[in-house]
Amino acid sequence: MMSDVKVVILAGGKGKRLAPHTAILPKPLLPIGEKPILEIVITQLAHQGFKKIILAVGYQSSLIETYFGDGKRWGIQISYSREKEPLGTAAPISLIEGLESPFLVLNSDILSDINYPALLDFHKANKAFATIALFRKDLKIDLGVIEAEEDGIIKNYIEKPVVPYEVSMGIYVFEPRVKEFIIKNEKMDIPDLIKKIIHNKKKVIGYRHTGLWLDIGRVEDYQEAVEIFNASPKRFLK
């Protein structure tokens, strides 16, 4: 039952790359259409059957807590985990009690049409310790790329190649024991946590999402997200 699965949403960052938009509002409250981006994420989770959401807050937390309250407006339960100083993206997990079964962790600034229950089912079916939602991004290099031997002999000339990468969507499923790899109140980011898990030979697997995903980390990303959402809002509110 998705209603029993806890969802941790990381909403404590300052969003410096989105300045000056984040000078007044914290990044999770930036509007996409008529709703803050975090409300879109929460609405998606509610529609997909999730009922228990923990917001890990820090910067301008009072504004976030005032807007979302206890979550009744969306028919869910919202609680808060407050960090006294910035702890990164992984360390806030160590402050949260009651994570006794596989749980979701996601950034608060993502716009996607991912199916969260399918992600959880994938995690469980693969008996993973950690699952990372993956998305393919094509990196265009606006230069002519040369492949040359050590002696300078040219073997190939590729004009403006496109290089595919699989990137993290900022959406994860973790087993409860993940907290054993996090030192409480010591700063740690999720990439370092994942590497630590892999080093300890725990199974980490990737879930490939082929729909839509945008990371709203920069001003140009934010503008693109607004345009895409306004063109098809129902796609993200189901």
Side-chain angles (χ1 to χ4, degrees):
M1 292 286 292
M2 294 305 112
S3 59
D4 295 326
V5 176
K6 293 183 178 179
V7 182
V8 178
I9 302 181
L10 304 171
K14 291 186 176 182
K16 292 180 180 179
R17 292 183 298 163
L18 277 169
H21 297 290
T22 49
I24 298 174
L25 289 175
K27 183 164 59 171
L29 291 184
L30 289 180
I32 303 287
E34 297 180 353
K35 299 176 182 292
I37 178 59
L38 181 52
E39 183 176 358
I40 295 170
V41 174
I42 286 174
T43 300
Q44 287 177 315
L45 290 163
H47 285 180
Q48 293 184 28
F50 297 90
K51 298 294 184 183
K52 299 176 181 178
I53 294 176
I54 302 121
L55 297 184
V57 294
Y59 176 67
Q60 292 188 325
S61 60
S62 60
L63 293 178
I64 295 173
E65 294 183 40
T66 298
Y67 187 90
F68 290 102
D70 59 9
K72 287 183 180 178
R73 195 172 5 148
W74 297 273
I76 59 173
Q77 174 190 330
I78 294 179
S79 58
Y80 298 87
S81 176
R82 304 168 183 87
E83 58 182 19
K84 295 179 180 179
E85 57 185 44
L87 292 174
T89 52
I93 297 170
S94 69
L95 304 178
I96 299 170
E97 302 297 331
L99 299 175
E100 299 168 353
S101 59
F103 60 96
L104 276 168
V105 175
L106 50 144
N107 295 340
S108 61
D109 58 348
I110 50 178
L111 187 64
S112 178
D113 56 2
I114 191 170
N115 184 314
Y116 291 106
L119 169 63
L120 271 160
D121 289 344
F122 178 86
H123 171 85
K124 294 174 183 177
N126 285 277
K127 298 180 180 179
F129 191 86
T131 298
I132 306 173
L134 305 178
F135 192 79
R136 174 177 165 144
K137 293 284 283 186
D138 291 331
L139 177 64
K140 184 178 180 181
I141 301 175
D142 292 322
L143 298 167
V145 174
I146 301 296
E147 294 178 359
E149 302 288 359
E150 285 293 324
D151 59 6
I153 297 296
I154 303 299
K155 303 298 291 184
N156 199 4
Y157 189 124
I158 309 168
E159 180 64 15
K160 298 181 179 178
V162 175
V163 182
Y165 286 96
E166 286 191 303
V167 301
S168 167
M169 294 173 63
I171 301 171
Y172 314 87
V173 184
F174 289 114
E175 290 294 306
R177 286 184 57 205
V178 73
K179 294 177 72 173
E180 297 175 10
F181 297 94
I182 308 170
I183 301 174
K184 197 169 184 178
N185 291 317
E186 184 173 302
K187 190 171 182 178
M188 186 182 204
D189 288 318
I190 284 181
D192 296 314
L193 173 61
I194 295 295
K195 286 185 280 189
K196 192 172 183 180
I197 293 169
I198 293 170
H199 178 75
N200 282 273
K201 306 196 182 304
K202 301 294 184 181
K203 186 176 183 179
V204 179
I205 196 166
Y207 173 85
R208 293 183 171 96
H209 176 61
T210 57
L212 190 144
W213 171 75
L214 288 169
D215 170 46
I216 308 171
R218 302 170 302 170
V219 172
E220 53 267 38
D221 299 325
Y222 174 55
Q223 293 168 344
E224 182 183 5
V226 170
E227 292 172 6
I228 290 175
F229 181 85
N230 287 338
S232 183
K234 290 183 179 179
R235 181 175 184 179
F236 303 100
L237 296 175
K238 60 183 180 180

